[in-house]
Amino acid sequence: MSLSATWCVECGEQHMGVQSCCGHDTLPLSRLKHGPMVPLLTPAQSTDGTVRLTYKMVPRGVSLMSKLRAVMSGEALEAIEDGLYCVLDVDDNVMMSDTPMETVTNQVLVSLVRRFRNKHGRRPNVLLAGLGIGYTVEELLPTGARRMRLAESVTVVEKNASVLEIIAPQTERPFLNIVHQDVHEYQPTEQFDIVWFDIWPKIDVANIPEMETLHEKFDVPYRTSWLYEHLLTLDRGETHARNSRL
């Protein structure tokens, strides 16, 4: 991304060298509300064109409508603050972003890590299935000097080579090991304390059998899948697009 890029908070369009849009000044990244991964990741596209990491601006009008829908539906996480977010598209489907819905729901993993440390008095070794935009890696092995490392080590198993091509180089850090393999075929050579699965592009009850198969394969006390407990409360056949407002 060029340092001269600015965005319109009304329509969400990105501009280069344009100072105003929709009757308002356009704003640079430094003056925008943004997701936690925006300062850490650079937009990119995989060589085969199947995976794209982009910045997506949620304008004020879209944010307001999302908040109204959240009130009407009772689903608080439907609301998205206006601002700039990282979005990972795989085969033209949103695989992950750093919107509040994603960051809040992934705090389940952080809670598991803290619970383990409080009980056992040490940092856990964590296995993550699915790299995404590296948000959970950043939470457990933060790059900021003022943030404490939560995990002893993190191993990420990711089967999509194109995701690895554009995300892995941007998430390299000590105590992180990334494995290119399908988690269903992965045979660990070390003992993990916590296992977290996040490999699904949609919030769909049809994911539950696969989740439970993986839970059985990696049978450790601290393991679950992204939104697993939430899916158990949904009606059969109910499905939602991940980050459907982006």
Side-chain angles (χ1 to χ4, degrees), residues 197-234:
F197 305 97
D198 187 359
I199 58 174
W200 299 274
K202 293 189 176 183
I203 304 169
D204 191 337
V205 295
N207 298 336
I208 293 175
E210 184 180 16
M211 291 177 173
E212 293 179 341
T213 296
L214 288 169
H215 294 175
E216 292 178 7
K217 177 179 179 179
F218 297 89
D219 187 17
V220 300
Y222 298 84
R223 51 91 173 99
T224 191
S225 297
W226 178 71
L227 286 179
Y228 172 68
E229 288 77 12
H230 174 67
L231 289 174
L232 294 177
T233 69
L234 298 181

Side-chain angles (χ1 to χ4, degrees), residues 3-208:
L3 295 178
S4 61
T6 59
W7 282 265
C8 175
V9 297
E10 296 298 329
C11 70
E13 289 296 317
Q14 179 181 344
H15 298 283
M16 300 296 295
V18 177
Q19 302 302 313
S20 64
C21 181
C22 298
H24 299 273
D25 291 342
T26 59
L27 299 178
L29 174 60
S30 61
R31 294 181 57 194
L32 287 170
K33 291 182 286 186
H34 55 72
M37 298 303 290
V38 169
L40 304 177
L41 297 176
T42 300
Q45 180 169 298
S46 62
T47 303
D48 63 7
T50 61
V51 176
R52 296 189 310 276
L53 177 67
T54 59
Y55 290 154
K56 172 71 174 182
M57 180 69 191
V58 175
R60 289 169 178 165
V62 173
S63 174
L64 177 59
M65 291 303 298
S66 75
K67 293 175 181 178
L68 291 174
R69 280 192 294 266
V71 171
M72 294 175 65
S73 67
E75 293 287 343
L77 292 178
E78 282 287 307
I80 304 178
E81 291 293 332
D82 60 282
L84 198 65
Y85 297 97
C86 278
V87 181
L88 182 69
D89 286 295
V90 177
D91 295 325
D92 296 320
N93 293 308
V94 175
M95 192 67 195
M96 192 177 184
S97 75
D98 59 353
T99 61
M101 186 279 288
E102 293 273 9
T103 58
V104 170
T105 55
N106 275 283
Q107 288 303 306
V108 172
L109 170 61
V110 177
S111 296
L112 283 178
V113 170
R114 295 187 186 280
R115 192 188 315 165
F116 179 93
R117 183 169 182 174
N118 290 340
K119 181 175 181 179
H120 299 279
R122 64 177 177 86
R123 290 186 292 242
N125 295 296
V126 180
L127 173 65
L128 305 178
L131 177 58
I133 59 173
Y135 173 74
T136 48
V137 171
E138 177 63 21
E139 284 293 289
L140 301 185
L141 302 174
T143 51
R146 296 182 179 180
R147 296 178 59 198
M148 181 177 65
R149 175 161 62 102
L150 298 181
E152 183 63 27
S153 70
V154 173
T155 296
V156 179
V157 178
E158 172 59 58
K159 72 174 184 178
N160 191 315
S162 296
V163 170
L164 292 175
E165 177 189 346
I166 64 173
I167 302 297
Q170 302 194 60
T171 55
E172 289 181 346
R173 65 199 64 201
F175 311 106
L176 173 65
N177 178 38
I178 298 179
V179 179
H180 179 203
Q181 194 170 8
D182 187 323
V183 69
H184 289 280
E185 301 171 358
Y186 175 65
Q187 298 297 328
T189 58
E190 61 182 291
Q191 181 66 42
F192 293 104
D193 302 302
I194 296 174
V195 183
W196 175 258
F197 305 97
D198 187 359
I199 58 174
W200 299 274
K202 293 189 176 183
I203 304 169
D204 191 337
V205 295
N207 298 336
I208 293 175

